[in-house]
Amino acid sequence: MGIKRLARDAVLTAAALTIFIVELQLPELVPIPGVKLGLANIVTVTALFTLGAPDALAILLCRILLGSLFAGNLMALLYSLSGGLLSFAVLLLMRKLLTKKQLWVASVFAAMAHNLGQIAAAILVTSTPSLLVYLPVLTVSGIVTGLFTGLTAQYAVGRLKNVLKK
Amino acid sequence: MKRTLFLILTLALLLASCAAPVKRTDTVFAMDTVMELTVYGDEALLEDARDVITDMESRLSVTLEGSEINALNSHGSAALSPDTVKLLEGALELCALTGGALDITVYPLVRAWGFTTGEYRVPGEDEIAGLLERVDYNAVALGDGEARLPEGAMVDLGAVAKGYLDDAIAGLWREEGVKSGLLNLGGSVYALGGKPDGSAWRVGVRDPFGSGYLGVIEARDVAVVTSGGYERYFEQDGRTYWHILDPKTGFPADSGLSSVTVVGQEGLLCDGLSTALFVMGLDAATELWRGRTDFDLVLVTSGGEVYITDGLESVFSLSGSYKDKEVKVIRRG
Amino acid sequence: MAKTGTWVTIILVLLVLAIAASLFLRLRPAGGTIAEIYVDGRLERRVDLSGVTVPTRFTVETERGVNVILCEPGRIRVESADCPDKVCVDFGWLQDSAAPIVCLPHRLVIKLTGDAPIDAEVG
């Protein structure tokens, strides 16, 4: 891994981490586990569409690991991981189906997948299938927050295209 | 990753279910009642419990020829085994605690009313007055492994025996490492631990005015015993006479209570008190409760009001047709 | 490549479906007044909220942390907790709703159910 690439990925991870920590300080929108803006995903989406899958995945994993550590909530690691990986898989899949101008669509589906993954992990961990009742609410919030992060990421990709060259 | 997690969880679940003790149940007919035993563990645990029941009945039965109590009643004195002495001592203490509202020597009166045989009758005033003279727990002389009774007096440990049996079986099971068991000795319940899933045993308190139960107690390591007039009674000339007699009057206790449920760690205490407090009534029962910390109460008045003492607040709940009723909580101080 | 309009339609349909489902679930009562508190999927405690007459407070301690739970007539909430996210506390009162209170960090779930059967009867 070249120095430049390492530095660039590290900066992006730091950015994602900062956004993540700042978001933690914001008051919750809804008192439902898993509902948040997921602003850090802006970085994931941006990285994927400019740098490619390996770099984006590395940044995502580092952010999740460090984020859980910094937030002092290692329990959340499992939920973040399952949500994060599932949404990443969806992003990868969607990338093949979309044009550059439709990037925000990938983000919407990724956000939904993220919440789905978190619910699945929560159901497994707490052995409480009835947590499924949160799925519709989480889908709505996924669409709304995914739209927001997606549009932001799309804007960022356009702007950072040249800066984040491989 | 998710698949691995799922696999691990499934395996853990399988392992847990293999290691969990097996539920064993048995039904025993003894001491004039039906006893249901439930325990999580070996079959031998039920065997042990049956042995305790058989032993206890052979010593304590009033009617069984050759039992220690039967011998005491028919000869006026008898040698008692250490276990029987212990129970008798405990019973006499309860008689004293309740000021004679529980009296183990009320048996001659119970017999006169026909509650022992089912040939019910209302004895005459003179007959009752005569029999009342024999009723006095203070006259039971106990010492040196021997008990003595005055002429004509008789002892019946029926009001405490099932509670004592609760303690004996639960104690034995505990020694044998049982974590979860439930005894229902003819309405005298003992919950050993909780259920294996971690929840408490749910004990229904019978509705004294109908079928079904009026509320549920979440029981964990406690005895739950109820006394009520509806258990055994007869009607004559439009009046109802039930089997719980007031040892002071010789007539069925008429204290304004329809049922008394006592919850506490000691089955003997709960059993004896449930009878005594039924005789004493709401106010006296409350007062006795305030002076102690080893039991809690559910009291149902003949008007259908439900009172509980504050220790039960988080474990008692109304159910069925009582759901919308108000529970009055009795507090200390 | 699908047209942007197609994607918008798909997303809109999903959104409407999800909103309808959440409204349906929100309006549907839980059909019970028994609050069950689970830790790690194990039933820890059961409280009949209809039997609660005065505010009652108790603590559920797990190896992962502590949740202080407050019961009032007909409703229950997590009053305080030492979990990092406090989602369970922010949930507020649980009353007549199918959606449970969840404290993911402590693996604690509080949900409402109907009557459970009894194990024995006294009297």
Side-chain angles (χ1 to χ4, degrees), chain C residues 29-97:
Chain C
T33 55
I34 314 270
E36 291 185 333
I37 299 156
Y38 291 84
V39 174
D40 253 342
R42 269 174 67 101
L43 183 61
E44 194 68 27
R45 205 173 171 130
R46 193 186 268 123
V47 184
D48 188 340
L49 298 177
S50 67
V52 175
T53 49
V54 290
T56 313
R57 199 174 270 104
F58 57 87
T59 307
V60 177
E61 279 189 57
T62 68
E63 53 198 73
R64 286 171 287 277
V66 178
N67 297 70
V68 179
I69 291 165
L70 179 64
C71 301
E72 282 188 9
R75 58 187 197 165
I76 186 167
R77 69 168 298 168
V78 178
E79 192 180 40
S80 62
D82 59 1
C83 58
D85 58 17
K86 305 279 189 286
V87 168
C88 52
V89 180
D90 295 336
F91 185 100
W93 291 105
L94 173 64
Q95 123 182 70
D96 211 29
S97 146

Side-chain angles (χ1 to χ4, degrees), chain A residues 97-114:
Chain A
L97 303 173
L98 297 171
T99 65
K100 288 278 181 224
K101 286 282 162 212
Q102 299 168 335
L103 190 152
W104 60 273
V105 175
S107 177
V108 168
F109 281 94
M112 283 192 277
H114 186 270

Side-chain angles (χ1 to χ4, degrees), chain B residues 149-267:
Chain B
L149 296 177
E151 179 72 34
M154 289 175 120
V155 163
D156 176 18
L157 295 175
V160 290
K162 288 187 286 180
Y164 186 68
L165 192 52
D166 274 330
D167 295 335
I169 298 174
L172 182 69
W173 279 355
R174 239 185 225 113
E175 269 173 38
E176 291 172 314
V178 173
K179 295 272 185 293
S180 179
L182 185 70
L183 301 167
N184 187 355
L185 312 181
S188 163
V189 167
Y190 191 95
L192 199 171
K195 281 186 262 189
D197 70 0
S199 63
W201 293 104
R202 291 169 54 75
V203 181
V205 177
R206 198 175 135 179
D207 175 5
F209 308 108
S211 59
Y213 46 95
L214 67 89
V216 176
I217 294 168
E218 306 265 323
R220 214 186 276 270
D221 284 318
V222 283
V224 183
V225 187
T226 300
S227 282
Y230 53 83
E231 291 165 297
R232 199 172 289 180
Y233 63 90
F234 67 95
E235 280 168 33
Q236 190 174 309
D237 305 328
R239 272 206 62 183
T240 304
Y241 300 93
W242 52 70
H243 73 296
I244 302 177
L245 301 181
D246 183 341
K248 304 233 161 47
T249 64
F251 275 87
D254 192 8
S255 65
L257 288 178
S258 280
S259 92
V260 174
T261 302
V262 187
V263 183
Q265 289 186 357
E266 203 193 325

